[in-house]
Amino acid sequence: MQPLRGVTVVALEQAVAAPYASRQLADLGARVIKVERPGTGDFARAYDTRARGLSSHFVWVNRNKESLTLDIKDPRGAEVLRRLIAGADVFVQNLAPGAAARAGLGAAELRSRHPGLIVCDISGYGAPGPYADRKAYDLMVQAESGLLSVTGTPEEMAKVGVSVSDIAAGMYAYSSILAALLERGRTGRGTHLDVSMLEATVEWMGFPLYYALDGAEPPPRAGAAHATIHPYGPFTAGDGKVVMMAVQNEREWRGFCERFLERPELAGHPDYATNAARNAHRGTLGGIVAARFAELTSAEAIDLLGAVPVANARVNTLDEVWAHPQLAARGRLHEVPTPVGPVPALAPPGPTGGAPRMEAVPAPGEHTRAVLGELGLSAEDIEALVADGVV
């Protein structure tokens, strides 16, 4: 299922946010030409070597793309990029604040030359504004957005274990580009999209922001437990394994008391009869629930919770996620080629018809000569650019 076949995306991108957005487009069939620095390429290629010698971040967000290395500070490189953009449907960039505009790649300038072009700028904080020129990495935005203030334990805040602000910005850029393509199909006009990591993350902070509206107390940091719903979180079974579980409503609470705790009288106890009451008395109630888990193995606890039924889950290791039976049953586990051989890859969520697009993670500059040839450069011209380090 490749509904974006025929769409060309030029991506002057680095790190995670923009590459994640453009990979979603590539997964759906768009041709994504990734513009990288000559020699080193996208600096995310050097983050680590954990994916069989390649960077884990890079392998994750760069399949299905073509790599063109290009020095856009050299006038010849800048001209190549301008010619590429002239034939593109979408231009995505997440350079340092102001860098694209200084290179003549600002949205207003590009769209004046190419009215049908969709320009997507991804940045930490967006412009204008007092933070427009600030560097922004994922952790900085988690802090500025308030996410750190509600994540962790009562004693210590904790960073979310994935690049959540990068991912949020990438997903909003992806969905906004899809909407812009639909609009262009109706009007013939492109548009400018300005996606900031801060705004994307703050959008995801809706529950804590409203919970603490008008100066009210914010939700407490509760570790792996839910901050305001109880019982909802991790409990250790008698075999030492942790089981996650969640009671979401009063019907589930009554069933949980009767079938799991085997204490039906607790269901109507005034300290526990509503979620607000249970949350207020979570210390006492948590001890009751923990004592019951300690009487059971993790397998027994999961079976009993499922029979209530109450939502429950194992706390999987990363190896167990790669081997997850549900992912296997739904055909989500695949392989993608890389310069060091195939690595496992997950099919994108959503599409169910046909085989997913699982083309290679490119080597730096792997497609440079082919792309330049498509632009009409002769073999001699290409070799001169290579010799001068422009590509």
Side-chain angles (χ1 to χ4, degrees):
M1 185 177 180
Q2 296 186 14
L4 296 186
R5 283 176 297 178
V7 172
T8 297
V9 179
V10 174
L12 188 58
E13 60 181 22
Q14 56 195 357
V16 175
Y20 191 56
S22 65
R23 198 214 78 190
Q24 312 301 314
L25 301 170
D27 286 348
L28 294 183
R31 181 188 187 189
V32 176
I33 301 172
K34 180 182 179 74
V35 180
E36 304 186 66
R37 297 175 182 82
T40 57
D42 181 342
F43 61 74
R45 288 182 181 272
Y47 276 171
D48 59 65
T49 57
R50 298 300 296 268
R52 299 177 184 170
L54 301 177
S55 163
S56 57
H57 289 77
F58 193 87
V59 168
W60 164 43
V61 295
N62 286 289
R63 67 177 179 232
N64 295 330
K65 300 181 185 180
E66 301 171 38
S67 172
L68 165 69
T69 50
L70 195 62
D71 180 1
I72 66 170
K73 294 183 179 179
D74 186 292
R76 294 167 293 175
E79 176 59 23
V80 168
L81 183 56
R82 282 193 288 269
R83 291 171 66 177
L84 266 181
I85 293 172
D89 300 286
V90 180
F91 175 62
V92 180
Q93 71 84 21
N94 70 329
L95 301 183
R102 290 192 295 273
L105 302 170
E109 184 173 348
L110 288 176
R111 294 200 59 247
S112 69
R113 295 200 298 265
H114 312 294
L117 182 66
I118 296 165
V119 178
C120 182
D121 296 326
I122 303 175
S123 63
Y125 300 108
Y131 281 42
D133 295 330
R134 284 198 182 194
K135 281 192 173 183
Y137 300 118
D138 185 83
L139 178 56
M140 308 304 120
V141 178
Q142 287 193 36
E144 288 283 351
S145 67
L147 179 56
L148 281 184
S149 75
V150 297
T151 306
T153 66
E155 295 75 28
E156 187 175 4
M157 69 182 71
K159 175 186 179 294
V160 176
V162 296
S163 303
V164 65
S165 294
D166 282 315
I167 295 167
M171 291 306 295
Y172 281 113
Y174 164 55
S175 61
S176 296
I177 289 168
L178 293 179
L181 286 167
L182 287 172
E183 179 67 14
R184 194 185 69 169
R186 289 192 289 266
T187 67
R189 296 191 301 272
T191 191
H192 175 216
L193 306 170
D194 182 5
V195 178
S196 86
M197 293 166 63
L198 176 66
E199 290 160 17
T201 310
V202 170
E203 167 62 22
W204 287 8
M205 287 290 292
F207 142 63
L209 286 171
Y210 281 111
Y211 190 88
L213 195 63
D214 297 328
E217 282 292 315
R221 294 195 298 266
H226 196 286
T228 60
I229 303 175
H230 193 76
Y232 189 144
F235 291 91
T236 302
D239 57 7
K241 295 182 179 179
V242 176
V243 176
M244 299 293 293
M245 56 82 61
V247 169
Q248 284 276 49
N249 54 57
E250 306 318 318
R251 175 182 51 80
E252 289 185 354
W253 169 241
R254 289 190 296 271
F256 180 72
C257 291
E258 293 169 8
R259 301 186 188 97
F260 184 84
L261 294 180
E262 297 181 345
R263 294 187 59 180
E265 76 280 2
L266 291 179
H269 192 288
D271 286 351
Y272 312 129
T274 67
N275 178 66
R278 293 191 294 274
N279 190 49
H281 296 89
R282 65 167 52 206
T284 305
L285 179 56
I288 294 171
V289 176
R292 177 57 174 149
F293 269 93
E295 298 171 352
L296 305 166
T297 66
S298 56
E300 290 170 339
I302 286 172
D303 285 345
L304 281 173
L305 291 168
V308 172
V310 164
N312 62 86
R314 300 177 300 159
V315 180
N316 283 326
T317 65
L318 299 181
D319 281 342
E320 288 169 333
V321 174
W322 280 118
H324 201 293
Q326 184 67 10
L327 296 175
R330 285 176 49 80
R332 311 316 286 174
L333 300 171
H334 297 267
E335 286 189 335
V336 63
T338 77
V340 298
V343 298
L346 295 169
T352 58
R357 185 182 183 193
M358 285 287 160
E359 297 175 18
V361 176
E366 180 178 342
H367 304 89
T368 296
R369 284 180 167 82
V371 172
L372 295 179
E374 290 178 24
L375 292 176
L377 277 72
S378 68
E380 292 78 12
D381 290 339
I382 294 172
E383 291 309 317
L385 293 176
V386 172
D388 291 344
V390 179
V391 300

